[in-house]
Amino acid sequence: MRRILIANWKMNLNHQTQTQLAEDFKKRLKKIKQLEIVVAPSFVHLQEVSEIFNGTNIKLAAQDVAFEKSGAFTGEVSAGEVREIGCQYAIIGHSERRIKLNETEKMVSGKINQCYGAGMIPILCVGETSEERMRNETESVIIKQLYDSIYKVSGLPEKEIIIAYEPVWAVGGSQFLDPDELAPIAFLVKKTLSAMYSEKFYNNNVRFIYGGSVNSIIAPAFWSAKFLDGLLIGAASLDIEEFYNIASEGETFSARGQ
Ligand code: PEP
């Protein structure tokens, strides 16, 4: 599977800035061929951004989906609806939703089910808070998040999934994980998912990616990790030159087979 680079624009842009950034992505990322580029705009701009990316290699993700298929869920947006607009991926269980909107594992699990039902690939975010890290609970938190959110999902192990390790303390700030600390987490995720399903499932259907304050300066240290299948970028994806530099570093490492 190709390495993936995901831009999460969150709720940072308005109509004008979002469409302008989409146009910039379209122009600037033309030469990126080795990486799969995915952009997650806000729901209200998905249609317009989808039209801008039409005919390019840039794919669309939803920033979230509802945990049910349809019905009386005022304000929610279903996986089927975003799939219709062209989303192939959805970010699920982002720490901002888990913490600020009290999203539970049960909801996360339902959302993954809905992604599969609609024919989309979930990007499942897992990671510990700084308190959990200080209590040395990083491993147990990740194992629990993986089990609780995936265990009851129908569709696995046949379907693909992306596991985004996003330590909560590193998201949306200036702190980032020492890239050397990533290998044990990648190993843990592989061990956990291989035990739940099989190593073959992990090797063929799972991509392990990192997210948390990555910018163009530290990106090469992450891209050089052979076991890493991609990056999820928040703040730095709002600046086309920053994002382009992260992408071209990834392109260089991937072309070298790293
Ligand atoms: C994110 O929101 O998933 C993220 C990684 O954000 P940032 O790069 O800003 O930390």
Side-chain angles (χ1 to χ4, degrees), residues 2-133:
R2 268 198 304 164
R3 278 178 146 184
I4 191 163
L5 180 61
I6 305 164
N8 179 10
W9 290 350
K10 307 191 187 184
M11 200 177 70
N12 285 308
L13 302 165
N14 60 26
H15 175 253
Q16 197 262 325
T17 51
Q18 195 135 196
T19 47
Q20 182 58 54
L21 190 57
E23 294 286 1
D24 293 342
F25 265 56
K26 179 178 169 174
K27 276 194 215 103
R28 200 73 177 97
L29 299 171
K30 257 187 203 145
K31 287 196 204 120
I32 304 295
K33 300 272 185 255
Q34 308 278 339
L35 299 178
E36 189 175 352
I37 305 283
V38 177
V39 175
S42 61
F43 282 126
V44 285
H45 297 117
L46 270 174
Q47 178 70 50
E48 204 156 3
V49 173
S50 165
E51 282 162 22
I52 294 171
F53 291 159
N54 192 15
T56 74
N57 290 329
I58 304 175
K59 296 178 180 166
L60 272 191
Q63 293 182 15
D64 182 38
V65 294
F67 58 86
E68 289 286 350
K69 190 173 179 185
S70 62
F73 294 94
T74 303
E76 288 294 277
V77 178
S78 73
E81 286 176 288
V82 295
R83 182 71 190 108
E84 248 174 19
I85 298 178
C87 289
Q88 297 180 39
Y89 294 91
I91 299 173
I92 303 295
H94 193 283
S95 58
E96 287 155 9
R97 299 195 61 84
R98 290 179 190 264
I99 294 168
K100 296 177 188 171
L101 297 161
N102 295 326
E103 202 164 281
T104 62
E105 292 303 346
K106 196 168 170 228
M107 290 156 89
V108 169
S109 177
K111 289 170 185 220
I112 296 175
N113 261 325
Q114 293 309 321
C115 281
Y116 289 143
M120 288 195 298
I121 299 171
I123 302 159
L124 171 64
C125 301
V126 296
E128 80 288 0
T129 61
S130 57
E131 293 78 17
E132 289 162 344
R133 182 175 165 83

